[in-house]
Amino acid sequence: MSLFKFFRKAMKWGTIISTLLFVGITLVQIYGRFFMTKAPSWTEEAARVAFIYAIAFAAGLAVRGAYYVNFGFLVEKFSQKNQELLQYFIWIITSLFILVFTYHAFEFLMMGTVEKSPSLKYPMTISFSGIAIMGISILVHLLNEKPKNTKMPKQ
């Protein structure tokens, strides 16, 4: 198994596990609000972290599947050569933007070493690392995927 395939599989499992945790924690919160005198205070914060991780893990997979919004209807008006040039330009600009984003995500991550979460009292680097994971995930998928055509993905 190649390193990229392992990485992609880890992102898929991270997305699945984080989403299931988000749903499970949210159900605990709903149960607490309806059937307990006071909902557990940790559920809101834990659900937020699970949601951040679900998005972080899935972001690169969305790049790979071409599920982000694009202007394919506009690009299709250009000649094939200009479409390829535009897609290459977009790929370069997006890759550079995500590279800068990921760099600053690690700076942000370092700021969390001195902070604690309000409810669960864990280091905020755990929450902040979701941003770095998202940047790495998108960057790895962008660098592994060459610029594609602008056709919409098949459903």
Side-chain angles (χ1 to χ4, degrees):
M1 178 184 287
S2 73
L3 185 60
F4 178 71
K5 285 184 181 179
F6 176 78
F7 180 80
R8 193 172 66 225
K9 188 171 276 204
M11 293 298 106
K12 285 181 183 179
W13 277 106
T15 302
I16 291 167
I17 291 168
S18 299
T19 302
L20 290 175
L21 277 171
F22 174 71
V23 170
I25 293 166
T26 303
L27 289 174
V28 169
Q29 187 176 38
I30 291 169
Y31 178 83
R33 288 185 180 184
F34 281 105
F35 300 111
M36 298 170 73
T37 57
K38 184 178 175 189
S41 61
W42 60 269
T43 55
E44 186 174 338
E45 189 173 319
R48 189 177 312 121
V49 172
F51 182 72
I52 289 169
Y53 273 92
I55 298 303
F57 287 125
L61 300 173
V63 167
R64 183 175 189 277
Y67 292 119
Y68 285 108
V69 173
N70 65 43
F71 292 97
F73 68 92
L74 181 64
V75 176
E76 288 175 356
K77 305 254 188 247
F78 298 138
S79 69
Q80 185 65 31
K81 182 181 177 187
N82 287 338
Q83 285 182 27
E84 290 172 9
L85 284 172
L86 182 60
Q87 285 301 97
Y88 188 68
F89 177 73
I90 291 170
W91 178 78
I92 288 172
I93 295 299
T94 305
S95 297
L96 289 173
F97 173 75
I98 295 299
L99 187 62
V100 170
F101 172 88
T102 304
Y103 172 78
H104 289 292
F106 279 99
E107 286 183 339
F108 186 58
L109 180 68
M110 292 301 113
M111 289 190 316
T113 57
V114 295
E115 296 180 38
K116 297 276 187 203
S117 74
S119 179
L120 296 173
K121 304 296 183 211
Y122 62 82
M124 286 302 290
T125 53
I126 293 172
S127 294
F128 294 171
S129 65
I131 306 300
I133 290 169
M134 181 171 64
I136 291 168
S137 177
I138 292 173
L139 193 59
V140 165
H141 283 89
L142 275 172
L143 296 178
N144 191 58
E145 300 291 322
K146 302 301 179 243
K148 295 180 179 180
N149 62 16
T150 58
K151 303 276 189 225
M152 293 298 292
K154 292 181 179 156
Q155 297 293 329

